[in-house]
Amino acid sequence: MTIVRVRVESGQTLAALDRLAQLRGAQRGLAAGGALILSRLATYPPQRPNSRYRRTGTLGRRWTMRQQGLQVTIGNNTPYAPEVQGDKQLAFHRETGWQTPEDVVEKHGREIEALILSYLSQG
C-alpha cells in the first residue's frame, strides 16, 4: 500500500485548494440541479379522462443528462419528444400539462438555484 501525504504550508496553496473545493461543490450542485430538472420532466401529467391512449413511459425514461465540467446538457432522443416536451411543442400537449425544460426551469428556478448554492457552500 502506498501512502501519500500532502502538507500545505503556503496561503496561496490553501487558496487554490479552497477554489478547487468550490469547483467540486459547483459541479455537484449542477448535477443535483440537473437531476431535479430530469425528475420533473420525466413526470407525466395526469391522463385525460376517457382517453383510450395507453402510455408506454418511453418519453419519461429517455430523458438523460450529461455533465462536462460546469455544463449540464439535458436531452431526450424519443422521436416525438420535440412535439410533446420540446421546442416544437404542439398546443394540444401544452394544454394537457406537458412541461418543456424551460417550463421546469421557470417554475422551479429558485429551488434549483438554492440547491446549487447549498452545494457551493459545502465546497
Side-chain angles (χ1 to χ4, degrees), residues 3 11-12 16 19 21 40 43 50-51 60 63 70 77-78 93 96 99 103 116-117 119 123:
I3 298 174
Q12 191 173 24
R19 285 192 299 276
R40 298 302 192 266
T43 302
N50 303 320
S51 174
W63 280 105
L70 296 176
N77 66 356
T78 308
H93 295 300
T96 55
Q99 297 183 87
D103 295 334
I116 293 169
L117 289 175
Y119 279 89

Side-chain angles (χ1 to χ4, degrees), residues 13-80:
T13 304
L14 284 172
L17 288 173
D18 186 47
R19 285 192 299 276
L20 180 61
Q22 286 180 332
L23 176 62
R24 287 186 182 141
Q27 289 173 326
R28 287 193 304 269
L30 287 170
L36 191 149
I37 293 168
L38 277 181
S39 71
R40 298 302 192 266
L41 287 169
T43 302
Y44 283 38
Q47 194 159 351
R48 294 179 83 152
N50 303 320
S51 174
R52 293 185 188 147
Y53 175 74
R54 184 177 170 272
R55 291 179 171 179
T56 64
T58 301
L59 184 62
R61 284 192 307 275
R62 287 197 176 170
W63 280 105
T64 63
M65 179 179 80
R66 183 178 73 228
Q67 182 174 4
Q68 292 179 308
L70 296 176
Q71 180 177 346
V72 173
T73 304
I74 294 172
N76 191 314
N77 66 356
T78 308
Y80 51 85

